[in-house]
Amino acid sequence: MKKLLASFSLICLGIGIVGLGRSAEAVADGPTLAPATPKVAISRLYNPNTGEHLFTPSNYERAALIDFGWQDEGLAFKMPDYAPGASMVNYVHRIYNPNAGDHHYLTNVGELENLLALGWHDDNVGFYAANDGQPVYRLYNPNAKAGAHHFTLSTGEKDALIKAGWHDEGVGFKAYAD
């Protein structure tokens, strides 16, 4: 009986494959579609008291900060979800300066280690950068005590901040617009 069921299953599978108008060989050798990369939404919040923007993948953190008076600016960008074997080289670390009350986002491990040695704290919150995404521009405000760095996908926002005196630090990492 087990042999009969196994044979019936194989016949049905064969009929299903050939029934699609393609031979089993064509299915095996034909083009395959890459699965869509699962993405994580990264929210952008603004603290009107300090001028700082914060980016978070956590809905809980987003809601708590809104309760504390931060303004929800919506979706900043999307990042790839964690995948087993993903490289930490592409990890965007979020760190916090307790003296200035400022958060910063970076991928460079040398820069990370240097800032941690200077007293910054690792927030243990971050996300994976998108290798094939759009550039997220990193800007620096030399006149700010908190919120000195800003990150944006928008070239219009980047250009406006540069015109207002911010320094262009290039691309911080890559992300998806949607």
PDB file of all heavy atoms in Angstrom, residues 102-132:
ATOM      1  N   ASP A 102      22.709  62.472  22.324  1.00  0.00           N
ATOM      2  CA  ASP A 102      22.673  62.379  20.867  1.00  0.00           C
ATOM      3  C   ASP A 102      22.849  60.933  20.415  1.00  0.00           C
ATOM      4  O   ASP A 102      23.649  60.195  20.985  1.00  0.00           O
ATOM      5  CB  ASP A 102      23.811  63.237  20.310  1.00  0.00           C
ATOM      6  CG  ASP A 102      23.739  63.481  18.828  1.00  0.00           C
ATOM      7  OD1 ASP A 102      22.660  63.335  18.250  1.00  0.00           O
ATOM      8  OD2 ASP A 102      24.784  63.837  18.246  1.00  0.00           O
ATOM      9  N   HIS A 103      22.109  60.545  19.385  1.00  0.00           N
ATOM     10  CA  HIS A 103      22.272  59.228  18.765  1.00  0.00           C
ATOM     11  C   HIS A 103      23.021  59.386  17.443  1.00  0.00           C
ATOM     12  O   HIS A 103      22.940  60.423  16.792  1.00  0.00           O
ATOM     13  CB  HIS A 103      20.905  58.581  18.489  1.00  0.00           C
ATOM     14  CG  HIS A 103      20.209  58.147  19.723  1.00  0.00           C
ATOM     15  ND1 HIS A 103      19.380  58.989  20.436  1.00  0.00           N
ATOM     16  CD2 HIS A 103      20.214  56.962  20.383  1.00  0.00           C
ATOM     17  CE1 HIS A 103      18.901  58.337  21.482  1.00  0.00           C
ATOM     18  NE2 HIS A 103      19.387  57.105  21.477  1.00  0.00           N
ATOM     19  N   HIS A 104      23.714  58.321  17.070  1.00  0.00           N
ATOM     20  CA  HIS A 104      24.467  58.319  15.824  1.00  0.00           C
ATOM     21  C   HIS A 104      24.355  56.934  15.203  1.00  0.00           C
ATOM     22  O   HIS A 104      24.181  55.945  15.918  1.00  0.00           O
ATOM     23  CB  HIS A 104      25.932  58.685  16.097  1.00  0.00           C
ATOM     24  CG  HIS A 104      26.769  58.883  14.882  1.00  0.00           C
ATOM     25  ND1 HIS A 104      26.365  59.622  13.796  1.00  0.00           N
ATOM     26  CD2 HIS A 104      28.005  58.424  14.566  1.00  0.00           C
ATOM     27  CE1 HIS A 104      27.319  59.620  12.886  1.00  0.00           C
ATOM     28  NE2 HIS A 104      28.324  58.888  13.328  1.00  0.00           N
ATOM     29  N   TYR A 105      24.468  56.858  13.884  1.00  0.00           N
ATOM     30  CA  TYR A 105      24.296  55.610  13.137  1.00  0.00           C
ATOM     31  C   TYR A 105      25.516  55.426  12.246  1.00  0.00           C
ATOM     32  O   TYR A 105      25.894  56.349  11.517  1.00  0.00           O
ATOM     33  CB  TYR A 105      23.021  55.672  12.287  1.00  0.00           C
ATOM     34  CG  TYR A 105      21.824  56.021  13.141  1.00  0.00           C
ATOM     35  CD1 TYR A 105      21.545  57.349  13.461  1.00  0.00           C
ATOM     36  CD2 TYR A 105      21.017  55.032  13.677  1.00  0.00           C
ATOM     37  CE1 TYR A 105      20.481  57.669  14.283  1.00  0.00           C
ATOM     38  CE2 TYR A 105      19.950  55.354  14.502  1.00  0.00           C
ATOM     39  CZ  TYR A 105      19.685  56.675  14.798  1.00  0.00           C
ATOM     40  OH  TYR A 105      18.635  56.983  15.623  1.00  0.00           O
ATOM     41  N   LEU A 106      26.130  54.247  12.305  1.00  0.00           N
ATOM     42  CA  LEU A 106      27.334  54.042  11.521  1.00  0.00           C
ATOM     43  C   LEU A 106      27.548  52.570  11.206  1.00  0.00           C
ATOM     44  O   LEU A 106      27.050  51.694  11.898  1.00  0.00           O
ATOM     45  CB  LEU A 106      28.552  54.613  12.243  1.00  0.00           C
ATOM     46  CG  LEU A 106      28.690  54.210  13.709  1.00  0.00           C
ATOM     47  CD1 LEU A 106      29.795  53.222  13.889  1.00  0.00           C
ATOM     48  CD2 LEU A 106      28.935  55.448  14.525  1.00  0.00           C
ATOM     49  N   THR A 107      28.290  52.354  10.131  1.00  0.00           N
ATOM     50  CA  THR A 107      28.622  50.990   9.711  1.00  0.00           C
ATOM     51  C   THR A 107      30.105  50.700   9.899  1.00  0.00           C
ATOM     52  O   THR A 107      30.489  49.538   9.953  1.00  0.00           O
ATOM     53  CB  THR A 107      28.265  50.758   8.227  1.00  0.00           C
ATOM     54  OG1 THR A 107      28.961  51.707   7.432  1.00  0.00           O
ATOM     55  CG2 THR A 107      26.777  50.881   7.988  1.00  0.00           C
ATOM     56  N   ASN A 108      30.916  51.706  10.008  1.00  0.00           N
ATOM     57  CA  ASN A 108      32.356  51.542  10.105  1.00  0.00           C
ATOM     58  C   ASN A 108      32.738  51.068  11.508  1.00  0.00           C
ATOM     59  O   ASN A 108      32.538  51.798  12.490  1.00  0.00           O
ATOM     60  CB  ASN A 108      33.044  52.865   9.763  1.00  0.00           C
ATOM     61  CG  ASN A 108      34.544  52.757   9.779  1.00  0.00           C
ATOM     62  OD1 ASN A 108      35.152  52.516  10.810  1.00  0.00           O
ATOM     63  ND2 ASN A 108      35.144  52.965   8.610  1.00  0.00           N
ATOM     64  N   VAL A 109      33.313  49.867  11.599  1.00  0.00           N
ATOM     65  CA  VAL A 109      33.651  49.281  12.898  1.00  0.00           C
ATOM     66  C   VAL A 109      34.743  50.081  13.599  1.00  0.00           C
ATOM     67  O   VAL A 109      34.711  50.259  14.824  1.00  0.00           O
ATOM     68  CB  VAL A 109      34.056  47.797  12.741  1.00  0.00           C
ATOM     69  CG1 VAL A 109      34.513  47.194  14.051  1.00  0.00           C
ATOM     70  CG2 VAL A 109      32.886  46.988  12.189  1.00  0.00           C
ATOM     71  N   GLY A 110      35.708  50.614  12.845  1.00  0.00           N
ATOM     72  CA  GLY A 110      36.762  51.434  13.441  1.00  0.00           C
ATOM     73  C   GLY A 110      36.180  52.693  14.089  1.00  0.00           C
ATOM     74  O   GLY A 110      36.567  53.067  15.204  1.00  0.00           O
ATOM     75  N   GLU A 111      35.264  53.344  13.386  1.00  0.00           N
ATOM     76  CA  GLU A 111      34.605  54.537  13.933  1.00  0.00           C
ATOM     77  C   GLU A 111      33.784  54.164  15.159  1.00  0.00           C
ATOM     78  O   GLU A 111      33.783  54.883  16.162  1.00  0.00           O
ATOM     79  CB  GLU A 111      33.725  55.177  12.857  1.00  0.00           C
ATOM     80  CG  GLU A 111      33.055  56.455  13.299  1.00  0.00           C
ATOM     81  CD  GLU A 111      32.157  57.083  12.231  1.00  0.00           C
ATOM     82  OE1 GLU A 111      31.853  56.427  11.213  1.00  0.00           O
ATOM     83  OE2 GLU A 111      31.742  58.239  12.445  1.00  0.00           O
ATOM     84  N   LEU A 112      33.091  53.032  15.092  1.00  0.00           N
ATOM     85  CA  LEU A 112      32.300  52.554  16.224  1.00  0.00           C
ATOM     86  C   LEU A 112      33.173  52.353  17.452  1.00  0.00           C
ATOM     87  O   LEU A 112      32.872  52.859  18.539  1.00  0.00           O
ATOM     88  CB  LEU A 112      31.582  51.246  15.855  1.00  0.00           C
ATOM     89  CG  LEU A 112      30.892  50.499  16.992  1.00  0.00           C
ATOM     90  CD1 LEU A 112      29.698  51.283  17.496  1.00  0.00           C
ATOM     91  CD2 LEU A 112      30.467  49.106  16.536  1.00  0.00           C
ATOM     92  N   GLU A 113      34.277  51.624  17.293  1.00  0.00           N
ATOM     93  CA  GLU A 113      35.174  51.344  18.420  1.00  0.00           C
ATOM     94  C   GLU A 113      35.762  52.629  18.994  1.00  0.00           C
ATOM     95  O   GLU A 113      35.888  52.776  20.214  1.00  0.00           O
ATOM     96  CB  GLU A 113      36.275  50.383  17.986  1.00  0.00           C
ATOM     97  CG  GLU A 113      35.756  48.979  17.730  1.00  0.00           C
ATOM     98  CD  GLU A 113      36.780  48.050  17.095  1.00  0.00           C
ATOM     99  OE1 GLU A 113      37.884  48.523  16.696  1.00  0.00           O
ATOM    100  OE2 GLU A 113      36.465  46.850  16.980  1.00  0.00           O
ATOM    101  N   ASN A 114      36.103  53.584  18.138  1.00  0.00           N
ATOM    102  CA  ASN A 114      36.648  54.857  18.588  1.00  0.00           C
ATOM    103  C   ASN A 114      35.623  55.621  19.430  1.00  0.00           C
ATOM    104  O   ASN A 114      35.950  56.136  20.502  1.00  0.00           O
ATOM    105  CB  ASN A 114      37.092  55.692  17.381  1.00  0.00           C
ATOM    106  CG  ASN A 114      37.759  56.988  17.791  1.00  0.00           C
ATOM    107  OD1 ASN A 114      38.588  57.018  18.690  1.00  0.00           O
ATOM    108  ND2 ASN A 114      37.388  58.069  17.112  1.00  0.00           N
ATOM    109  N   LEU A 115      34.382  55.703  18.965  1.00  0.00           N
ATOM    110  CA  LEU A 115      33.354  56.438  19.708  1.00  0.00           C
ATOM    111  C   LEU A 115      32.980  55.729  21.012  1.00  0.00           C
ATOM    112  O   LEU A 115      32.740  56.389  22.032  1.00  0.00           O
ATOM    113  CB  LEU A 115      32.127  56.672  18.824  1.00  0.00           C
ATOM    114  CG  LEU A 115      32.353  57.664  17.677  1.00  0.00           C
ATOM    115  CD1 LEU A 115      31.147  57.718  16.749  1.00  0.00           C
ATOM    116  CD2 LEU A 115      32.688  59.052  18.201  1.00  0.00           C
ATOM    117  N   LEU A 116      32.960  54.403  21.008  1.00  0.00           N
ATOM    118  CA  LEU A 116      32.696  53.674  22.251  1.00  0.00           C
ATOM    119  C   LEU A 116      33.805  53.936  23.266  1.00  0.00           C
ATOM    120  O   LEU A 116      33.532  54.114  24.465  1.00  0.00           O
ATOM    121  CB  LEU A 116      32.551  52.170  21.977  1.00  0.00           C
ATOM    122  CG  LEU A 116      31.320  51.744  21.172  1.00  0.00           C
ATOM    123  CD1 LEU A 116      31.366  50.244  20.882  1.00  0.00           C
ATOM    124  CD2 LEU A 116      30.017  52.119  21.871  1.00  0.00           C
ATOM    125  N   ALA A 117      35.058  54.015  22.811  1.00  0.00           N
ATOM    126  CA  ALA A 117      36.182  54.313  23.703  1.00  0.00           C
ATOM    127  C   ALA A 117      36.093  55.728  24.266  1.00  0.00           C
ATOM    128  O   ALA A 117      36.594  55.997  25.362  1.00  0.00           O
ATOM    129  CB  ALA A 117      37.505  54.118  22.958  1.00  0.00           C
ATOM    130  N   LEU A 118      35.435  56.623  23.532  1.00  0.00           N
ATOM    131  CA  LEU A 118      35.268  58.006  23.994  1.00  0.00           C
ATOM    132  C   LEU A 118      34.067  58.182  24.922  1.00  0.00           C
ATOM    133  O   LEU A 118      33.779  59.292  25.361  1.00  0.00           O
ATOM    134  CB  LEU A 118      35.127  58.953  22.789  1.00  0.00           C
ATOM    135  CG  LEU A 118      36.384  59.119  21.933  1.00  0.00           C
ATOM    136  CD1 LEU A 118      36.076  59.933  20.683  1.00  0.00           C
ATOM    137  CD2 LEU A 118      37.497  59.788  22.754  1.00  0.00           C
ATOM    138  N   GLY A 119      33.339  57.083  25.197  1.00  0.00           N
ATOM    139  CA  GLY A 119      32.224  57.163  26.143  1.00  0.00           C
ATOM    140  C   GLY A 119      30.839  57.012  25.549  1.00  0.00           C
ATOM    141  O   GLY A 119      29.851  57.052  26.283  1.00  0.00           O
ATOM    142  N   TRP A 120      30.740  56.866  24.231  1.00  0.00           N
ATOM    143  CA  TRP A 120      29.433  56.597  23.634  1.00  0.00           C
ATOM    144  C   TRP A 120      28.977  55.208  24.079  1.00  0.00           C
ATOM    145  O   TRP A 120      29.800  54.344  24.384  1.00  0.00           O
ATOM    146  CB  TRP A 120      29.517  56.647  22.113  1.00  0.00           C
ATOM    147  CG  TRP A 120      29.707  58.018  21.527  1.00  0.00           C
ATOM    148  CD1 TRP A 120      30.814  58.813  21.624  1.00  0.00           C
ATOM    149  CD2 TRP A 120      28.775  58.747  20.736  1.00  0.00           C
ATOM    150  NE1 TRP A 120      30.622  59.982  20.943  1.00  0.00           N
ATOM    151  CE2 TRP A 120      29.373  59.979  20.380  1.00  0.00           C
ATOM    152  CE3 TRP A 120      27.490  58.482  20.280  1.00  0.00           C
ATOM    153  CZ2 TRP A 120      28.743  60.933  19.609  1.00  0.00           C
ATOM    154  CZ3 TRP A 120      26.853  59.431  19.493  1.00  0.00           C
ATOM    155  CH2 TRP A 120      27.475  60.642  19.174  1.00  0.00           C
ATOM    156  N   HIS A 121      27.669  54.980  24.115  1.00  0.00           N
ATOM    157  CA  HIS A 121      27.102  53.696  24.512  1.00  0.00           C
ATOM    158  C   HIS A 121      26.486  53.013  23.294  1.00  0.00           C
ATOM    159  O   HIS A 121      25.842  53.686  22.489  1.00  0.00           O
ATOM    160  CB  HIS A 121      26.010  53.882  25.563  1.00  0.00           C
ATOM    161  CG  HIS A 121      26.509  54.426  26.855  1.00  0.00           C
ATOM    162  ND1 HIS A 121      26.195  53.869  28.060  1.00  0.00           N
ATOM    163  CD2 HIS A 121      27.321  55.485  27.156  1.00  0.00           C
ATOM    164  CE1 HIS A 121      26.769  54.555  29.034  1.00  0.00           C
ATOM    165  NE2 HIS A 121      27.452  55.548  28.498  1.00  0.00           N
ATOM    166  N   ASP A 122      26.651  51.716  23.213  1.00  0.00           N
ATOM    167  CA  ASP A 122      26.003  50.934  22.153  1.00  0.00           C
ATOM    168  C   ASP A 122      24.553  50.723  22.570  1.00  0.00           C
ATOM    169  O   ASP A 122      24.278  50.160  23.625  1.00  0.00           O
ATOM    170  CB  ASP A 122      26.723  49.596  21.982  1.00  0.00           C
ATOM    171  CG  ASP A 122      26.245  48.816  20.775  1.00  0.00           C
ATOM    172  OD1 ASP A 122      25.142  49.097  20.269  1.00  0.00           O
ATOM    173  OD2 ASP A 122      26.981  47.922  20.338  1.00  0.00           O
ATOM    174  N   ASP A 123      23.623  51.191  21.759  1.00  0.00           N
ATOM    175  CA  ASP A 123      22.189  51.048  22.060  1.00  0.00           C
ATOM    176  C   ASP A 123      21.691  49.621  21.855  1.00  0.00           C
ATOM    177  O   ASP A 123      20.568  49.312  22.232  1.00  0.00           O
ATOM    178  CB  ASP A 123      21.363  51.976  21.154  1.00  0.00           C
ATOM    179  CG  ASP A 123      21.022  53.289  21.805  1.00  0.00           C
ATOM    180  OD1 ASP A 123      21.366  53.497  22.984  1.00  0.00           O
ATOM    181  OD2 ASP A 123      20.391  54.122  21.135  1.00  0.00           O
ATOM    182  N   ASN A 124      22.512  48.786  21.233  1.00  0.00           N
ATOM    183  CA  ASN A 124      22.088  47.427  20.878  1.00  0.00           C
ATOM    184  C   ASN A 124      20.807  47.447  20.046  1.00  0.00           C
ATOM    185  O   ASN A 124      19.974  46.556  20.135  1.00  0.00           O
ATOM    186  CB  ASN A 124      21.922  46.548  22.118  1.00  0.00           C
ATOM    187  CG  ASN A 124      23.242  46.310  22.812  1.00  0.00           C
ATOM    188  OD1 ASN A 124      24.246  46.044  22.156  1.00  0.00           O
ATOM    189  ND2 ASN A 124      23.262  46.422  24.123  1.00  0.00           N
ATOM    190  N   VAL A 125      20.648  48.499  19.285  1.00  0.00           N
ATOM    191  CA  VAL A 125      19.551  48.633  18.327  1.00  0.00           C
ATOM    192  C   VAL A 125      20.200  48.998  17.007  1.00  0.00           C
ATOM    193  O   VAL A 125      21.058  49.879  16.951  1.00  0.00           O
ATOM    194  CB  VAL A 125      18.561  49.754  18.729  1.00  0.00           C
ATOM    195  CG1 VAL A 125      17.517  49.973  17.654  1.00  0.00           C
ATOM    196  CG2 VAL A 125      17.904  49.445  20.062  1.00  0.00           C
ATOM    197  N   GLY A 126      19.818  48.316  15.983  1.00  0.00           N
ATOM    198  CA  GLY A 126      20.379  48.620  14.682  1.00  0.00           C
ATOM    199  C   GLY A 126      19.618  47.877  13.609  1.00  0.00           C
ATOM    200  O   GLY A 126      18.541  47.333  13.869  1.00  0.00           O
ATOM    201  N   PHE A 127      20.194  47.840  12.431  1.00  0.00           N
ATOM    202  CA  PHE A 127      19.540  47.197  11.301  1.00  0.00           C
ATOM    203  C   PHE A 127      20.576  46.920  10.233  1.00  0.00           C
ATOM    204  O   PHE A 127      21.677  47.454  10.277  1.00  0.00           O
ATOM    205  CB  PHE A 127      18.395  48.049  10.767  1.00  0.00           C
ATOM    206  CG  PHE A 127      18.622  49.544  10.890  1.00  0.00           C
ATOM    207  CD1 PHE A 127      19.333  50.241   9.927  1.00  0.00           C
ATOM    208  CD2 PHE A 127      18.128  50.252  11.978  1.00  0.00           C
ATOM    209  CE1 PHE A 127      19.544  51.604  10.038  1.00  0.00           C
ATOM    210  CE2 PHE A 127      18.340  51.619  12.097  1.00  0.00           C
ATOM    211  CZ  PHE A 127      19.040  52.301  11.116  1.00  0.00           C
ATOM    212  N   TYR A 128      20.220  46.061   9.295  1.00  0.00           N
ATOM    213  CA  TYR A 128      21.128  45.704   8.210  1.00  0.00           C
ATOM    214  C   TYR A 128      20.945  46.663   7.045  1.00  0.00           C
ATOM    215  O   TYR A 128      19.827  46.974   6.659  1.00  0.00           O
ATOM    216  CB  TYR A 128      20.893  44.263   7.754  1.00  0.00           C
ATOM    217  CG  TYR A 128      21.364  43.288   8.782  1.00  0.00           C
ATOM    218  CD1 TYR A 128      20.515  42.838   9.780  1.00  0.00           C
ATOM    219  CD2 TYR A 128      22.689  42.865   8.793  1.00  0.00           C
ATOM    220  CE1 TYR A 128      20.972  41.978  10.763  1.00  0.00           C
ATOM    221  CE2 TYR A 128      23.146  42.006   9.768  1.00  0.00           C
ATOM    222  CZ  TYR A 128      22.281  41.566  10.752  1.00  0.00           C
ATOM    223  OH  TYR A 128      22.743  40.726  11.720  1.00  0.00           O
ATOM    224  N   ALA A 129      22.066  47.131   6.495  1.00  0.00           N
ATOM    225  CA  ALA A 129      22.031  48.009   5.330  1.00  0.00           C
ATOM    226  C   ALA A 129      21.708  47.196   4.085  1.00  0.00           C
ATOM    227  O   ALA A 129      21.965  46.004   4.016  1.00  0.00           O
ATOM    228  CB  ALA A 129      23.374  48.717   5.171  1.00  0.00           C
ATOM    229  N   ALA A 130      21.133  47.856   3.116  1.00  0.00           N
ATOM    230  CA  ALA A 130      20.770  47.219   1.850  1.00  0.00           C
ATOM    231  C   ALA A 130      21.910  47.384   0.853  1.00  0.00           C
ATOM    232  O   ALA A 130      22.289  48.504   0.522  1.00  0.00           O
ATOM    233  CB  ALA A 130      19.496  47.855   1.306  1.00  0.00           C
ATOM    234  N   ASN A 131      22.474  46.282   0.387  1.00  0.00           N
ATOM    235  CA  ASN A 131      23.565  46.362  -0.595  1.00  0.00           C
ATOM    236  C   ASN A 131      23.116  47.003  -1.896  1.00  0.00           C
ATOM    237  O   ASN A 131      23.876  47.706  -2.549  1.00  0.00           O
ATOM    238  CB  ASN A 131      24.116  44.965  -0.891  1.00  0.00           C
ATOM    239  CG  ASN A 131      24.864  44.391   0.284  1.00  0.00           C
ATOM    240  OD1 ASN A 131      25.454  45.121   1.067  1.00  0.00           O
ATOM    241  ND2 ASN A 131      24.830  43.083   0.411  1.00  0.00           N
ATOM    242  N   ASP A 132      21.872  46.742  -2.287  1.00  0.00           N
ATOM    243  CA  ASP A 132      21.381  47.211  -3.583  1.00  0.00           C
ATOM    244  C   ASP A 132      20.372  48.351  -3.449  1.00  0.00           C
ATOM    245  O   ASP A 132      19.640  48.639  -4.360  1.00  0.00           O
ATOM    246  CB  ASP A 132      20.752  46.047  -4.349  1.00  0.00           C
ATOM    247  CG  ASP A 132      19.627  45.375  -3.575  1.00  0.00           C
ATOM    248  OD1 ASP A 132      19.475  45.644  -2.360  1.00  0.00           O
ATOM    249  OD2 ASP A 132      18.897  44.580  -4.170  1.00  0.00           O
TER     250      ASP A 132
END
